[in-house]
Amino acid sequence: ELKVEQNPLFLSMQEEKNYTIYCNYSTTSDRLYWYRQDPGKSLESLFVLLSNGAVKQEGRLMASLDTKARLSTLHITAAVHDLSATYFCAVVLFGNEKLTFGTGTRLTIIP
Amino acid sequence: NAGVMQNPRHLVRRRGQEARLRCSPMKGHSHVYWYRQLPEEGLKFMVYLQKENIIDESGMPKERFSAEFPKEGPSILRIQQVVRGDSAAYFCASSPGDRAGNTIYFGEGSWLTVV
């Protein structure tokens, strides 16, 4: 059974600081997604990572994938308040289109 | 993700009633997925459908829950005889089905409250 774990579960950080969210998964995967969710809202797609060594960046967020270590990271650079949200990683296995989500990381940016 | 349309957005049902949640996928998408999110938790897969076919229903509770995606019209998630534990946000997602890096888009969700 595929297990997807994120850490930390909660993260409070000051503005302008850098931090990384980690996503580990237990089985070789086809691709990995990062989503953002604001309270009471839907999920916003951030990144899709397809292959080992993939790196994608959008603004202050950068995601990477190491398929050998079964690890993805979401790095936040110089955080700003509007990045406060819950971030989920989700994994898709080969031959299976369903997403298995991590536990989520609730990020709070403190001025 | 605005292209995946769900309704109703909010639904209140008394215990024992039926809840029907609808999802129209993005234009051109033939694959629909339903996920449930309990308060303060992550999303859990329920069912994966293509037109007129259930591909994977391994996340569906064995009783009271059913899903369909007819040839015409939206996908429907049906919950019969609702109980308080069914209170959750139900998200629909869609994709074109081409696995080559496609993004899976989520709808705005349907929040079910059972009283």
PDB file of all heavy atoms in Angstrom, chain B residues 1 9 18 20 23 38 43-44 47 58 64 74 78-79 84-86 88 90 95 98 106:
ATOM      1  N   ASN B   1      -8.448  25.548 -12.416  1.00  0.00           N
ATOM      2  CA  ASN B   1      -9.366  24.578 -11.835  1.00  0.00           C
ATOM      3  C   ASN B   1     -10.801  25.063 -11.869  1.00  0.00           C
ATOM      4  O   ASN B   1     -11.720  24.377 -11.486  1.00  0.00           O
ATOM      5  CB  ASN B   1      -8.938  24.238 -10.419  1.00  0.00           C
ATOM      6  CG  ASN B   1      -8.974  25.406  -9.490  1.00  0.00           C
ATOM      7  OD1 ASN B   1      -9.312  26.519  -9.889  1.00  0.00           O
ATOM      8  ND2 ASN B   1      -8.650  25.205  -8.240  1.00  0.00           N
ATOM      9  N   ARG B   9     -22.600  23.715  -3.831  1.00  0.00           N
ATOM     10  CA  ARG B   9     -21.395  24.049  -3.081  1.00  0.00           C
ATOM     11  C   ARG B   9     -21.563  23.702  -1.610  1.00  0.00           C
ATOM     12  O   ARG B   9     -20.618  23.260  -0.962  1.00  0.00           O
ATOM     13  CB  ARG B   9     -21.078  25.528  -3.220  1.00  0.00           C
ATOM     14  CG  ARG B   9     -20.654  25.956  -4.614  1.00  0.00           C
ATOM     15  CD  ARG B   9     -19.298  25.347  -5.036  1.00  0.00           C
ATOM     16  NE  ARG B   9     -18.294  25.490  -3.994  1.00  0.00           N
ATOM     17  CZ  ARG B   9     -17.639  26.601  -3.727  1.00  0.00           C
ATOM     18  NH1 ARG B   9     -17.860  27.685  -4.424  1.00  0.00           N
ATOM     19  NH2 ARG B   9     -16.735  26.632  -2.756  1.00  0.00           N
ATOM     20  N   GLU B  18     -30.948  11.561   1.635  1.00  0.00           N
ATOM     21  CA  GLU B  18     -29.993  11.269   0.567  1.00  0.00           C
ATOM     22  C   GLU B  18     -29.294  12.557   0.131  1.00  0.00           C
ATOM     23  O   GLU B  18     -29.900  13.626   0.135  1.00  0.00           O
ATOM     24  CB  GLU B  18     -30.724  10.668  -0.635  1.00  0.00           C
ATOM     25  CG  GLU B  18     -29.828  10.373  -1.826  1.00  0.00           C
ATOM     26  CD  GLU B  18     -30.583   9.760  -2.991  1.00  0.00           C
ATOM     27  OE1 GLU B  18     -30.969   8.585  -2.890  1.00  0.00           O
ATOM     28  OE2 GLU B  18     -30.774  10.467  -4.011  1.00  0.00           O
ATOM     29  N   ARG B  20     -26.982  14.124  -3.083  1.00  0.00           N
ATOM     30  CA  ARG B  20     -26.485  13.933  -4.455  1.00  0.00           C
ATOM     31  C   ARG B  20     -25.581  15.085  -4.804  1.00  0.00           C
ATOM     32  O   ARG B  20     -26.000  16.245  -4.770  1.00  0.00           O
ATOM     33  CB  ARG B  20     -27.650  13.877  -5.438  1.00  0.00           C
ATOM     34  CG  ARG B  20     -28.397  12.583  -5.417  1.00  0.00           C
ATOM     35  CD  ARG B  20     -29.270  12.447  -6.646  1.00  0.00           C
ATOM     36  NE  ARG B  20     -30.029  11.213  -6.601  1.00  0.00           N
ATOM     37  CZ  ARG B  20     -30.370  10.509  -7.665  1.00  0.00           C
ATOM     38  NH1 ARG B  20     -30.033  10.933  -8.868  1.00  0.00           N
ATOM     39  NH2 ARG B  20     -31.043   9.393  -7.535  1.00  0.00           N
ATOM     40  N   CYS B  23     -20.841  16.733 -10.581  1.00  0.00           N
ATOM     41  CA  CYS B  23     -19.546  17.217 -11.066  1.00  0.00           C
ATOM     42  C   CYS B  23     -19.519  17.188 -12.576  1.00  0.00           C
ATOM     43  O   CYS B  23     -19.710  16.125 -13.185  1.00  0.00           O
ATOM     44  CB  CYS B  23     -18.424  16.349 -10.513  1.00  0.00           C
ATOM     45  SG  CYS B  23     -16.806  16.665 -11.260  1.00  0.00           S
ATOM     46  N   LEU B  38     -12.195  15.090   5.215  1.00  0.00           N
ATOM     47  CA  LEU B  38     -12.779  15.314   6.530  1.00  0.00           C
ATOM     48  C   LEU B  38     -12.118  16.532   7.161  1.00  0.00           C
ATOM     49  O   LEU B  38     -11.001  16.893   6.787  1.00  0.00           O
ATOM     50  CB  LEU B  38     -12.589  14.077   7.412  1.00  0.00           C
ATOM     51  CG  LEU B  38     -13.315  12.820   6.914  1.00  0.00           C
ATOM     52  CD1 LEU B  38     -12.879  11.606   7.696  1.00  0.00           C
ATOM     53  CD2 LEU B  38     -14.816  13.011   7.026  1.00  0.00           C
ATOM     54  N   LEU B  43      -6.957  14.741   1.750  1.00  0.00           N
ATOM     55  CA  LEU B  43      -7.967  14.188   0.849  1.00  0.00           C
ATOM     56  C   LEU B  43      -7.769  12.688   0.687  1.00  0.00           C
ATOM     57  O   LEU B  43      -6.636  12.211   0.544  1.00  0.00           O
ATOM     58  CB  LEU B  43      -7.860  14.846  -0.529  1.00  0.00           C
ATOM     59  CG  LEU B  43      -8.535  16.199  -0.665  1.00  0.00           C
ATOM     60  CD1 LEU B  43      -7.689  17.290  -0.049  1.00  0.00           C
ATOM     61  CD2 LEU B  43      -8.837  16.505  -2.130  1.00  0.00           C
ATOM     62  N   LYS B  44      -8.890  11.973   0.667  1.00  0.00           N
ATOM     63  CA  LYS B  44      -8.856  10.526   0.481  1.00  0.00           C
ATOM     64  C   LYS B  44      -9.587  10.167  -0.798  1.00  0.00           C
ATOM     65  O   LYS B  44     -10.720  10.618  -1.022  1.00  0.00           O
ATOM     66  CB  LYS B  44      -9.545   9.816   1.660  1.00  0.00           C
ATOM     67  CG  LYS B  44      -8.956  10.135   3.015  1.00  0.00           C
ATOM     68  CD  LYS B  44      -7.548   9.630   3.185  1.00  0.00           C
ATOM     69  CE  LYS B  44      -7.053   9.879   4.602  1.00  0.00           C
ATOM     70  NZ  LYS B  44      -5.608   9.542   4.736  1.00  0.00           N
ATOM     71  N   VAL B  47     -13.305   7.320  -5.727  1.00  0.00           N
ATOM     72  CA  VAL B  47     -13.653   6.579  -6.933  1.00  0.00           C
ATOM     73  C   VAL B  47     -13.110   7.294  -8.161  1.00  0.00           C
ATOM     74  O   VAL B  47     -12.970   8.522  -8.160  1.00  0.00           O
ATOM     75  CB  VAL B  47     -15.186   6.405  -7.021  1.00  0.00           C
ATOM     76  CG1 VAL B  47     -15.886   7.758  -7.135  1.00  0.00           C
ATOM     77  CG2 VAL B  47     -15.602   5.486  -8.148  1.00  0.00           C
ATOM     78  N   SER B  58     -11.998   1.604  -5.165  1.00  0.00           N
ATOM     79  CA  SER B  58     -11.408   1.014  -3.965  1.00  0.00           C
ATOM     80  C   SER B  58     -11.540   1.898  -2.729  1.00  0.00           C
ATOM     81  O   SER B  58     -11.423   1.410  -1.614  1.00  0.00           O
ATOM     82  CB  SER B  58      -9.927   0.702  -4.216  1.00  0.00           C
ATOM     83  OG  SER B  58      -9.226   1.868  -4.590  1.00  0.00           O
ATOM     84  N   ARG B  64     -24.057   2.433   1.059  1.00  0.00           N
ATOM     85  CA  ARG B  64     -24.676   3.766   1.005  1.00  0.00           C
ATOM     86  C   ARG B  64     -24.075   4.705  -0.025  1.00  0.00           C
ATOM     87  O   ARG B  64     -24.714   5.686  -0.381  1.00  0.00           O
ATOM     88  CB  ARG B  64     -24.661   4.445   2.385  1.00  0.00           C
ATOM     89  CG  ARG B  64     -25.341   3.665   3.495  1.00  0.00           C
ATOM     90  CD  ARG B  64     -25.451   4.487   4.778  1.00  0.00           C
ATOM     91  NE  ARG B  64     -24.136   4.845   5.316  1.00  0.00           N
ATOM     92  CZ  ARG B  64     -23.621   6.069   5.275  1.00  0.00           C
ATOM     93  NH1 ARG B  64     -24.277   7.063   4.705  1.00  0.00           N
ATOM     94  NH2 ARG B  64     -22.433   6.307   5.803  1.00  0.00           N
ATOM     95  N   PRO B  74     -23.498  15.191 -15.974  1.00  0.00           N
ATOM     96  CA  PRO B  74     -22.400  15.206 -15.015  1.00  0.00           C
ATOM     97  C   PRO B  74     -22.199  13.875 -14.320  1.00  0.00           C
ATOM     98  O   PRO B  74     -23.063  12.992 -14.358  1.00  0.00           O
ATOM     99  CB  PRO B  74     -22.866  16.271 -13.999  1.00  0.00           C
ATOM    100  CG  PRO B  74     -24.352  16.155 -14.014  1.00  0.00           C
ATOM    101  CD  PRO B  74     -24.702  15.863 -15.455  1.00  0.00           C
ATOM    102  N   ARG B  78     -23.546   9.784  -5.002  1.00  0.00           N
ATOM    103  CA  ARG B  78     -24.796   9.642  -4.258  1.00  0.00           C
ATOM    104  C   ARG B  78     -24.521   8.998  -2.907  1.00  0.00           C
ATOM    105  O   ARG B  78     -23.845   7.956  -2.838  1.00  0.00           O
ATOM    106  CB  ARG B  78     -25.763   8.789  -5.068  1.00  0.00           C
ATOM    107  CG  ARG B  78     -27.125   8.573  -4.448  1.00  0.00           C
ATOM    108  CD  ARG B  78     -27.923   7.630  -5.328  1.00  0.00           C
ATOM    109  NE  ARG B  78     -29.247   7.363  -4.802  1.00  0.00           N
ATOM    110  CZ  ARG B  78     -29.977   6.300  -5.149  1.00  0.00           C
ATOM    111  NH1 ARG B  78     -29.493   5.430  -6.008  1.00  0.00           N
ATOM    112  NH2 ARG B  78     -31.173   6.130  -4.637  1.00  0.00           N
ATOM    113  N   ILE B  79     -25.048   9.630  -1.876  1.00  0.00           N
ATOM    114  CA  ILE B  79     -24.906   9.077  -0.524  1.00  0.00           C
ATOM    115  C   ILE B  79     -26.301   8.864   0.030  1.00  0.00           C
ATOM    116  O   ILE B  79     -27.063   9.821   0.208  1.00  0.00           O
ATOM    117  CB  ILE B  79     -24.108  10.019   0.400  1.00  0.00           C
ATOM    118  CG1 ILE B  79     -22.812  10.490  -0.266  1.00  0.00           C
ATOM    119  CG2 ILE B  79     -23.789   9.307   1.719  1.00  0.00           C
ATOM    120  CD1 ILE B  79     -22.091  11.598   0.489  1.00  0.00           C
ATOM    121  N   ARG B  84     -23.946  11.403  10.437  1.00  0.00           N
ATOM    122  CA  ARG B  84     -23.132  12.573  10.784  1.00  0.00           C
ATOM    123  C   ARG B  84     -21.702  12.426  10.291  1.00  0.00           C
ATOM    124  O   ARG B  84     -21.064  13.398   9.898  1.00  0.00           O
ATOM    125  CB  ARG B  84     -23.144  12.794  12.298  1.00  0.00           C
ATOM    126  CG  ARG B  84     -24.474  13.297  12.810  1.00  0.00           C
ATOM    127  CD  ARG B  84     -24.296  14.527  13.698  1.00  0.00           C
ATOM    128  NE  ARG B  84     -25.589  15.130  14.015  1.00  0.00           N
ATOM    129  CZ  ARG B  84     -26.234  14.913  15.139  1.00  0.00           C
ATOM    130  NH1 ARG B  84     -25.747  14.107  16.056  1.00  0.00           N
ATOM    131  NH2 ARG B  84     -27.394  15.517  15.339  1.00  0.00           N
ATOM    132  N   GLY B  85     -21.193  11.206  10.301  1.00  0.00           N
ATOM    133  CA  GLY B  85     -19.822  10.984   9.854  1.00  0.00           C
ATOM    134  C   GLY B  85     -19.589  11.236   8.372  1.00  0.00           C
ATOM    135  O   GLY B  85     -18.439  11.260   7.930  1.00  0.00           O
ATOM    136  N   ASP B  86     -20.664  11.425   7.622  1.00  0.00           N
ATOM    137  CA  ASP B  86     -20.520  11.741   6.200  1.00  0.00           C
ATOM    138  C   ASP B  86     -20.243  13.224   5.980  1.00  0.00           C
ATOM    139  O   ASP B  86     -19.934  13.636   4.859  1.00  0.00           O
ATOM    140  CB  ASP B  86     -21.797  11.363   5.432  1.00  0.00           C
ATOM    141  CG  ASP B  86     -22.083   9.870   5.458  1.00  0.00           C
ATOM    142  OD1 ASP B  86     -21.122   9.078   5.590  1.00  0.00           O
ATOM    143  OD2 ASP B  86     -23.270   9.488   5.350  1.00  0.00           O
ATOM    144  N   ALA B  88     -18.443  16.289   5.394  1.00  0.00           N
ATOM    145  CA  ALA B  88     -17.103  16.453   4.847  1.00  0.00           C
ATOM    146  C   ALA B  88     -17.191  17.334   3.619  1.00  0.00           C
ATOM    147  O   ALA B  88     -18.279  17.693   3.161  1.00  0.00           O
ATOM    148  CB  ALA B  88     -16.504  15.092   4.453  1.00  0.00           C
ATOM    149  N   TYR B  90     -16.463  17.242  -0.322  1.00  0.00           N
ATOM    150  CA  TYR B  90     -16.303  16.257  -1.394  1.00  0.00           C
ATOM    151  C   TYR B  90     -15.806  17.003  -2.629  1.00  0.00           C
ATOM    152  O   TYR B  90     -16.472  17.911  -3.132  1.00  0.00           O
ATOM    153  CB  TYR B  90     -17.631  15.549  -1.672  1.00  0.00           C
ATOM    154  CG  TYR B  90     -18.051  14.665  -0.516  1.00  0.00           C
ATOM    155  CD1 TYR B  90     -18.725  15.205   0.577  1.00  0.00           C
ATOM    156  CD2 TYR B  90     -17.737  13.312  -0.504  1.00  0.00           C
ATOM    157  CE1 TYR B  90     -19.082  14.405   1.656  1.00  0.00           C
ATOM    158  CE2 TYR B  90     -18.099  12.508   0.566  1.00  0.00           C
ATOM    159  CZ  TYR B  90     -18.770  13.059   1.645  1.00  0.00           C
ATOM    160  OH  TYR B  90     -19.122  12.270   2.712  1.00  0.00           O
ATOM    161  N   SER B  95      -9.331  14.932 -15.486  1.00  0.00           N
ATOM    162  CA  SER B  95      -8.128  14.953 -16.316  1.00  0.00           C
ATOM    163  C   SER B  95      -8.495  14.427 -17.691  1.00  0.00           C
ATOM    164  O   SER B  95      -9.509  13.745 -17.852  1.00  0.00           O
ATOM    165  CB  SER B  95      -7.025  14.110 -15.691  1.00  0.00           C
ATOM    166  OG  SER B  95      -7.302  12.727 -15.834  1.00  0.00           O
ATOM    167  N   ASP B  98      -4.665  11.416 -20.453  1.00  0.00           N
ATOM    168  CA  ASP B  98      -3.353  11.206 -21.033  1.00  0.00           C
ATOM    169  C   ASP B  98      -2.334  11.365 -19.919  1.00  0.00           C
ATOM    170  O   ASP B  98      -2.161  12.444 -19.386  1.00  0.00           O
ATOM    171  CB  ASP B  98      -3.110  12.253 -22.130  1.00  0.00           C
ATOM    172  CG  ASP B  98      -1.707  12.176 -22.692  1.00  0.00           C
ATOM    173  OD1 ASP B  98      -0.919  11.311 -22.255  1.00  0.00           O
ATOM    174  OD2 ASP B  98      -1.402  12.987 -23.570  1.00  0.00           O
ATOM    175  N   PHE B 106      -8.990  20.277  -9.849  1.00  0.00           N
ATOM    176  CA  PHE B 106     -10.029  20.072  -8.854  1.00  0.00           C
ATOM    177  C   PHE B 106     -11.126  21.119  -8.987  1.00  0.00           C
ATOM    178  O   PHE B 106     -10.877  22.271  -9.340  1.00  0.00           O
ATOM    179  CB  PHE B 106      -9.437  20.134  -7.441  1.00  0.00           C
ATOM    180  CG  PHE B 106      -8.753  18.861  -7.040  1.00  0.00           C
ATOM    181  CD1 PHE B 106      -7.457  18.591  -7.466  1.00  0.00           C
ATOM    182  CD2 PHE B 106      -9.405  17.924  -6.261  1.00  0.00           C
ATOM    183  CE1 PHE B 106      -6.824  17.406  -7.110  1.00  0.00           C
ATOM    184  CE2 PHE B 106      -8.779  16.741  -5.903  1.00  0.00           C
ATOM    185  CZ  PHE B 106      -7.489  16.480  -6.327  1.00  0.00           C
TER     186      PHE B 106
END
